[in-house]
Amino acid sequence: MSLDHALLVSLLEKPSSGYELARRFDRSIGYFWHATHQQIYKVLARMEDAGWISGEVQPGEAAPDRKLFSVSRSGRSEVSRWLAEPTEPEGVRDSLMVKMRGAAFGKPGALIPELEHHRALHANRLTAYRVIEARDFSGALDRQRALQYQVLKSGIRFEQGWLEWCEEALGLLHSFDQDQGGNTP
Amino acid sequence: MSLDHALLVSLLEKPSSGYELARRFDRSIGYFWHATHQQIYKVLARMEDAGWISGEVQPGEAAPDRKLFSVSRSGRSEVSRWLAEPTEPEGVRDSLMVKMRGAAFGKPGALIPELEHHRALHANRLTAYRVIEARDFSGALDRQRALQYQVLKSGIRFEQGWLEWCEEALGLLHSFDQDQGGNTP
DNA sequence: AGATACTATGCAACGAGTTGCAGTGCAAGT
DNA sequence: ACTTGCACTGCAACTCGTTGCATAGTATCT
């Protein structure tokens, strides 16, 4: 469990409404911790009950009302507590890898469009990261920005890794297509 | 949802009992799709009801009974169906990245032990992969092995990426420790 | 006037996944 | 004899997360 903490950090960076957070989770932080708006609203409600955040309704002029949340003192101390507490890496879930192994029991060629799709997605994301990098992280950086940049750099590194891997995997599958049928090289 | 498919692929590679699968998920496939034994038993039961797999109790000589599952025809066709169906990449969940951004609102130095811990874990995993690589994937490979190797290579690539990133991040945090207090560089 | 779409919030029902516990049977140490 | 440990299976209770739907105001297009 830790959407709580992702939201707290997000709110520390900038007090926001649920809707805003949901949008932010489609970019930025969401690249490292995804969540849907329903889940976000649920957790916000729970954290408000717990006193970690407080919400203030802002009557919208020419727009629906929005409830702006900010982190309370007890929310801040929860963040500190969590930062100090050791965390194990999350368990991986990568269906593409399972599919690769499954492909041995079906038509490996069927995975080619899938891999191309993934390659395109990762290429797009890499481009998006590069844009953010150029826009927000050139020049001198204060601590907060330096940390954010370090996080972004992990994104860049991994998307590059993905791209290279997709190329390699596509090469392998294409090589299967050529020597039809044979099961040994 | 797709522990189902991970289990099916695992069972295609080798018919197994729930316990065996759980153990296998601590190595091998589990590096790409983790699961606990309780969840595995639950899904196995559901898939047996659905007719995708069939279990046969084997009275253990000098060992507890075990229920050996293998994939039925309808299970195989489910795998084929799933392989052909496009899948989006799983949403990422990486608490370390959230912590990095959160560190701006606490003591960044507190993350150093955490990063060292992660670095050690990734180094260990990389070593384990290298061992598997040398043991199982040197020499000529048939299709199945080639696919498995391609999956392993993604593991190697990512662990290396992690290691490099951890080094970089540790460098950054240590640089904070030196220029105490200042918030701009 | 009506259709479409976006901002904004939320409920209800369900399914996936975790945590904790419980039990059997064998083997081996002490 | 007693405990510890491992192979093996599973239930029960819970939390986390997803899917689908509901609502309501504003803006824009046709």
Side-chain angles (χ1 to χ4, degrees):
Chain A
M1 195 282 291
S2 199
L3 176 52
D4 301 48
H5 300 112
L7 288 176
L8 286 174
V9 169
S10 243
L11 288 175
L12 281 171
E13 291 182 346
K14 183 173 184 318
S16 316
S17 68
Y19 187 80
E20 253 181 302
L21 284 167
R23 300 265 320 272
R24 198 114 55 88
F25 269 64
D26 293 337
R27 311 172 266 106
S28 182
I29 272 258
Y31 288 136
F32 308 100
W33 198 281
H34 88 101
T36 61
H37 84 269
Q38 290 89 341
Q39 189 65 15
I40 289 172
Y41 281 120
K42 251 192 266 188
V43 173
L44 284 175
R46 170 158 37 89
M47 291 201 298
E48 196 180 11
D49 283 353
W52 290 356
I53 58 178
S54 58
E56 208 181 338
V57 175
Q58 303 216 316
E61 337 98 13
D65 293 359
R66 48 205 292 281
K67 200 167 172 188
L68 198 75
F69 290 98
S70 45
V71 181
S72 69
R73 187 154 320 160
S74 87
R76 271 178 184 271
S77 77
E78 167 58 21
V79 170
S80 301
R81 191 200 61 70
W82 171 69
L83 284 174
E85 166 196 270
T87 321
E88 294 308 304
E90 275 68 29
V92 179
R93 295 260 162 125
D94 193 332
S95 54
L96 195 53
M97 297 306 153
V98 182
K99 277 195 175 183
M100 284 289 283
R101 289 179 71 146
F105 306 95
K107 292 199 180 73
L111 275 191
I112 291 176
E114 184 83 340
L115 280 167
E116 284 167 345
H117 177 56
H118 280 244
R119 180 179 55 178
L121 286 176
H122 290 297
N124 285 347
R125 187 158 285 187
L126 181 57
T127 305
Y129 287 163
R130 292 285 192 207
V131 169
I132 296 172
E133 183 181 31
R135 191 190 59 202
D136 296 347
F137 299 108
S138 44
L141 306 172
D142 62 15
R143 281 192 179 190
Q144 180 173 2
R145 284 234 163 260
L147 286 164
Q148 287 176 349
Y149 187 28
Q150 190 61 39
V151 171
L152 181 66
K153 282 202 268 186
S154 97
I156 291 172
R157 191 184 286 279
F158 284 106
E159 296 306 334
Q160 271 174 337
W162 264 106
L163 277 179
E164 288 162 27
W165 183 87
C166 282
E167 292 296 344
E168 226 180 285
L170 278 165
L172 180 67
L173 291 185
H174 281 128
S175 81
F176 287 171
D177 266 7
Q178 268 146 21
D179 60 279
Q180 304 262 340
N183 207 35
T184 34
Chain B
M1 191 283 291
S2 199
L3 176 53
D4 300 49
H5 300 112
L7 289 176
L8 286 173
V9 169
S10 242
L11 288 175
L12 282 170
E13 291 183 346
K14 184 171 185 316
S16 316
S17 68
Y19 187 80
E20 251 181 305
L21 283 168
R23 299 267 320 271
R24 198 113 57 87
F25 269 64
D26 292 338
R27 309 173 266 106
S28 183
I29 272 257
Y31 288 137
F32 308 100
W33 199 280
H34 88 102
T36 62
H37 83 270
Q38 291 90 339
Q39 189 65 14
I40 289 172
Y41 281 118
K42 251 192 264 189
V43 174
L44 284 175
R46 170 157 40 84
M47 292 201 297
E48 195 179 13
D49 283 353
W52 291 355
I53 58 177
S54 59
E56 208 182 337
V57 176
Q58 303 217 317
E61 337 97 14
D65 292 0
R66 48 206 292 281
K67 201 168 172 188
L68 199 74
F69 290 97
S70 45
V71 181
S72 68
R73 188 155 319 165
S74 88
R76 270 176 185 271
S77 77
E78 168 58 21
V79 171
S80 302
R81 192 200 60 70
W82 171 69
L83 284 174
E85 166 197 271
T87 320
E88 295 306 304
E90 275 69 31
V92 179
R93 297 257 162 126
D94 193 331
S95 54
L96 196 52
M97 297 306 155
V98 182
K99 278 195 173 182
M100 284 289 283
R101 289 178 72 145
F105 307 95
K107 294 201 179 72
L111 275 190
I112 291 177
E114 185 82 338
L115 280 168
E116 284 167 345
H117 177 54
H118 280 243
R119 180 178 55 179
L121 286 176
H122 290 298
N124 285 346
R125 189 160 284 188
L126 181 56
T127 305
Y129 287 163
R130 291 286 192 207
V131 169
I132 297 173
E133 183 181 32
R135 191 190 58 201
D136 295 348
F137 298 108
S138 45
L141 306 172
D142 62 13
R143 282 193 178 190
Q144 179 172 5
R145 286 234 162 258
L147 287 163
Q148 287 175 350
Y149 187 28
Q150 189 62 37
V151 171
L152 181 67
K153 281 201 270 189
S154 98
I156 291 172
R157 191 183 286 278
F158 285 106
E159 296 306 334
Q160 270 174 337
W162 264 107
L163 276 179
E164 289 162 26
W165 183 87
C166 282
E167 293 296 344
E168 225 179 287
L170 278 166
L172 179 67
L173 292 185
H174 280 127
S175 82
F176 287 171
D177 267 6
Q178 268 145 21
D179 62 280
Q180 303 262 337
N183 206 35
T184 34

